[in-house]
Amino acid sequence: MSQLLTSAPHRGGLPAPVPTGPVRLHINGETRTLQLAPWTSLLDALREYAHLTGTKKGCDHGQCGACTVLVNGRRINSCLTLAVMHEDDDITTIEGLGTPDNLSPLQQAFVDHDAFQCGYCTPGQICSAQGLLNEGRAHSEAEIKELMSGNLCRCGAYTGILNAVQEVVAAQGEMVK
Amino acid sequence: MYPFTYSRATDVADAVRDKAGHGASAYLGGGTNLIDLMKYNVEQPAHLVNVAKLPLDKIEDLPDGGLRLGATATNADTAWNEQVKARYPMLNQAILAGASPQLRNAATNAGNLMQRTRCYYFYDIETPCNKREPGSGCSAIGGYNRIHAILGASEACIATHPSDMCVALAALAPTVRVSGPNGERSIAFEDFHRLPGDQPQYDNILAEGELITSLDLPEKGFAKNFTYLKLRDRHSYAFALVSVAVGLELEGNTITDARLALGGVAHKPWRDKSAEQLLKGQPATAETFGRVAAHVVANAVGQGSNDFKIELARRAIVRALQQATEGRQRATDAFLNSNP
Ligand SMILES: Cc1cc2nc3c(=O)[nH]c(=O)nc-3n(C[C@H](O)[C@H](O)[C@H](O)COP(=O)(O)OP(=O)(O)OC[C@H]3O[C@@H](n4cnc5c(N)ncnc54)[C@H](O)[C@@H]3O)c2cc1C
Ligand code: SF4
Ligand code: FES
Ligand code: FES
């Protein structure tokens, strides 16, 4: 597969030298050492270098949540962080949460509740919801809505998304009502 | 994005030395503002010093009864810290009103203070902007300026400081501790950010190479009668058009101490000490609140598209004072209060 330098540098229109170095990441339980330039975002590293295209690029500016992954169990936007900042961190992407034959509870709930239409925002929604579960701070519908507000859905599948997340939160005994 | 070199600092001295050793360099916290601006070529550092993993992430008691917030503690860890929740709930609410859970997990406290304006022209390198390119002009004056300042602006720049956290901090009045090439110093929060004047390129008074190491909160947290009211275009994941932080101390119905700060209205978090003086000794009534709110916006100037902010701010101040007095926020104005 060819490697696209989507966060490639440019200065005055001239091709700039690309000083890459090894960056060791633990992605979905597997240790990967990637040869990366300092300006490669974690998102581009995952998609273009680790070839894990489940994580999506929406806005590339922290405004949509499509690129959400878990770093050491916490959800962040992978587009606004550099891969070099995550040397030796544990990264979990949608590919690491479950497999087609063995869906994670959230993945199953998204299928059951029709929580997507085009599916582009879905990996980010599910990784974000997994982060929400790890945090353990959403105990009501209003709190789930607020704590999922960092993920936009252009198709407007919010009702299904809310139902799916609510079901898994409730199954873990975390709802207050 | 322009190319740059990168290093990760191991301690404060190392960070300061490393930055000083590189010309156009910058400290890197969570990256949520700096990397965004670098993608637009608004910021073009040739070297980044990652300070996010410095051992400055603790939140700990101070001997004087205050609380030290580490510079690299994340906004999320700060908001959800048990001490912050119990003693400085206004700060908890202000942080949770900002950005999204993902961004708050990455953003650091120092980065939040240092974040730059969201002025559209500042972000667009094709347009004149005195903050980005001193002397080039201000596109917002006479342009589209819905999110711009109504207080303290200058003929050079009418941008606002976008932070929510900093509005609560303005009301709580912590000290900002910094370490730089010339040693350490402490800066009162109210002196940290500045008005644009004729040098809008400077958002604050930090000297070249200075690194923020902590925010030291005083003991007084206004934990009983407080509010953080944020008004915006959508109810989550949007910057404030106007926000108000209020802390009151009451004896019966008489206000004995008051703090009042506004966000979204000026180049810096806007604490109004004269309004605080007007509140002190007065009964906590609608009449008092109306008078004080009118005082705060008496010198406000609209720029066209943001004229609505003057009336919005006036009403928001009244509502915030009301809620602080009652000691509870309307459900629509509270952020995740049910959390145990
Ligand atoms: C889509 C979006 C929505 C947002 N919404 C809101 C909102 O509603 N309310 C709100 O308040 N904020 C909001 N934010 C802004 C967010 O809070 C800031 O981006 C964040 O706080 C910056 O922290 P950081 O650690 O990521 O900083 P960085 O991006 O790493 O750095 C920002 C600046 O701080 C400097 N810096 C970092 N650490 C130090 C240090 N220790 N000493 C000195 N200088 C330092 C850097 O050099 C840089 O200039 C939003 C951001 C995005 C992208
Ligand atoms: S308001 Fe300030 S930041 Fe915006 S264009 Fe004018 S000078 Fe630039
Ligand atoms: S792609 Fe990262 S938030 Fe939109
Ligand atoms: S399902 Fe299409 S964007 Fe959410």
Side-chain angles (χ1 to χ4, degrees):
Chain A
M1 201 186 285
S2 74
Q3 296 198 339
L4 292 168
L5 249 177
T6 52
S7 41
H10 60 82
R11 194 184 278 281
L14 295 172
V18 182
T20 60
V23 180
R24 189 173 56 198
L25 304 171
H26 308 291
I27 309 172
N28 300 330
E30 200 186 315
T31 299
R32 305 276 300 263
T33 301
L34 306 173
Q35 203 60 32
L36 301 172
W39 48 83
T40 302
S41 67
L42 179 59
L43 174 58
D44 285 343
L46 291 169
R47 289 183 54 85
E48 315 293 350
Y49 294 82
H51 308 304
L52 290 166
T53 53
T55 308
K56 297 292 183 266
K57 181 183 287 192
C59 63
D60 213 20
H61 289 284
Q63 300 177 359
C64 75
C67 66
T68 303
V69 300
L70 299 159
V71 174
N72 302 328
R74 308 184 76 176
R75 47 179 165 161
I76 64 166
N77 304 99
S78 61
C79 68
L80 286 189
T81 193
L82 304 171
V84 283
M85 293 160 70
H86 297 288
E87 179 82 35
D88 267 333
D89 281 349
D90 286 317
I91 320 284
T92 306
T93 67
I94 189 68
E95 290 94 339
L97 287 180
T99 60
D101 318 319
N102 185 18
L103 297 179
S104 78
L106 276 167
Q107 287 170 325
Q108 187 62 52
F110 268 63
V111 173
D112 295 345
H113 289 274
D114 224 359
F116 42 80
Q117 209 176 99
C118 76
Y120 198 81
C121 71
T122 313
Q125 299 279 1
I126 293 179
C127 285
S128 187
Q130 187 61 51
L132 172 148
L133 290 174
N134 297 352
E135 290 155 12
R137 294 187 186 114
H139 311 287
S140 65
E141 186 182 314
E143 288 174 347
I144 293 172
K145 281 184 182 170
E146 172 59 27
L147 291 175
M148 284 299 293
S149 70
N151 294 80
L152 306 189
C153 174
R154 201 59 210 275
C155 300
Y158 294 111
T159 311
I161 295 167
L162 177 65
N163 291 340
V165 177
Q166 209 165 351
E167 180 181 274
V168 181
V169 169
Q172 299 197 349
E174 301 252 316
M175 294 296 282
V176 283
K177 5 170 231 209
Chain B
M1 204 187 292
Y2 290 108
F4 58 86
T5 52
Y6 167 90
S7 63
R8 183 161 129 190
T10 50
D11 58 35
V12 171
D14 175 47
V16 172
R17 207 179 318 112
D18 187 5
K19 178 155 188 334
H22 292 84
S25 52
Y27 294 125
L28 174 65
T32 61
N33 189 226
L34 184 56
I35 294 172
D36 194 25
L37 289 166
M38 288 168 69
K39 287 185 180 188
Y40 287 110
N41 292 334
V42 173
E43 303 268 14
Q44 308 175 1
H47 181 70
L48 288 184
V49 182
N50 183 0
V51 296
K53 293 193 178 168
L54 288 180
L56 299 173
D57 59 344
K58 306 271 179 311
I59 295 180
E60 51 201 359
D61 286 327
L62 288 167
D64 67 357
L67 190 69
R68 170 164 292 169
L69 310 176
T72 62
T74 64
N75 287 179
D77 283 347
T78 305
W80 295 110
N81 176 274
E82 292 302 329
Q83 294 286 326
V84 171
K85 277 163 61 182
R87 294 166 57 192
Y88 308 96
M90 185 205 300
L91 183 60
N92 156 281
Q93 293 286 288
I95 296 174
L96 295 181
S100 69
Q102 290 96 313
L103 289 160
R104 297 193 294 263
N105 276 345
T108 63
N109 290 336
N112 196 306
L113 261 63
M114 298 293 291
Q115 65 174 300
R116 310 218 60 193
T117 185
R118 308 303 290 199
C119 171
Y120 344 102
Y121 306 105
F122 175 72
Y123 263 82
D124 176 3
I125 59 165
E126 302 301 321
T127 59
C129 167
N130 287 326
K131 186 180 280 298
R132 182 171 24 78
E133 213 180 311
S136 63
C138 171
S139 301
I141 297 176
Y144 188 63
N145 46 39
R146 190 165 180 276
I147 64 171
H148 290 74
I150 52 170
L151 289 164
S154 73
E155 281 171 19
C157 177
I158 59 170
T160 53
H161 192 269
S163 168
D164 289 294
M165 179 182 187
C166 288
V167 183
L169 290 173
L172 293 168
T175 300
V176 185
R177 279 173 67 244
V178 308
S179 193
N182 299 319
E184 298 181 5
R185 64 174 174 140
S186 293
I187 305 165
F189 191 81
E190 64 179 310
D191 299 329
F192 185 83
H193 295 101
R194 60 185 292 285
L195 290 177
D198 56 7
Q199 292 193 308
Q201 66 271 32
Y202 301 115
D203 297 345
N204 55 61
I205 63 155
L206 219 53
E208 176 56 40
E210 280 184 324
L211 178 80
I212 300 172
T213 55
S214 75
L215 295 165
D216 292 358
L217 288 163
E219 188 173 8
K220 204 178 232 193
F222 298 92
K224 193 155 169 279
N225 293 97
F226 69 93
T227 212
Y228 185 70
L229 174 61
K230 178 175 181 181
L231 302 173
R232 42 185 161 168
D233 285 324
R234 62 179 181 203
H235 197 52
S236 188
Y237 202 11
F239 285 94
L241 290 167
V242 167
S243 70
V244 187
V246 168
L248 297 176
E249 278 185 350
L250 297 161
E251 268 175 39
N253 196 38
T254 304
I255 299 166
T256 53
D257 197 5
R259 297 285 170 79
L260 176 64
L262 270 68
V265 297
H267 195 259
K268 61 182 286 188
W270 188 264
R271 180 175 170 193
D272 191 327
K273 285 183 163 176
S274 62
E276 294 171 3
Q277 286 305 326
L278 279 181
L279 284 163
K280 283 184 211 170
Q282 297 300 309
T285 58
E287 197 276 321
T288 304
F289 302 156
R291 188 155 31 84
V292 169
H295 170 83
V296 175
V297 299
N299 296 318
V301 180
Q303 299 285 341
S305 357
N306 71 348
D307 293 348
F308 72 96
K309 277 192 185 183
I310 301 174
E311 180 62 9
L312 188 66
R314 196 186 61 74
R315 295 186 192 200
I317 293 164
V318 172
R319 177 150 131 198
L321 286 165
Q322 199 94 52
Q323 295 192 153
T325 303
E326 290 165 6
R328 62 182 178 83
Q329 313 215 156
R330 291 188 201 173
T332 52
D333 297 349
F335 300 95
L336 309 166
N337 258 353
S338 84
N339 276 278

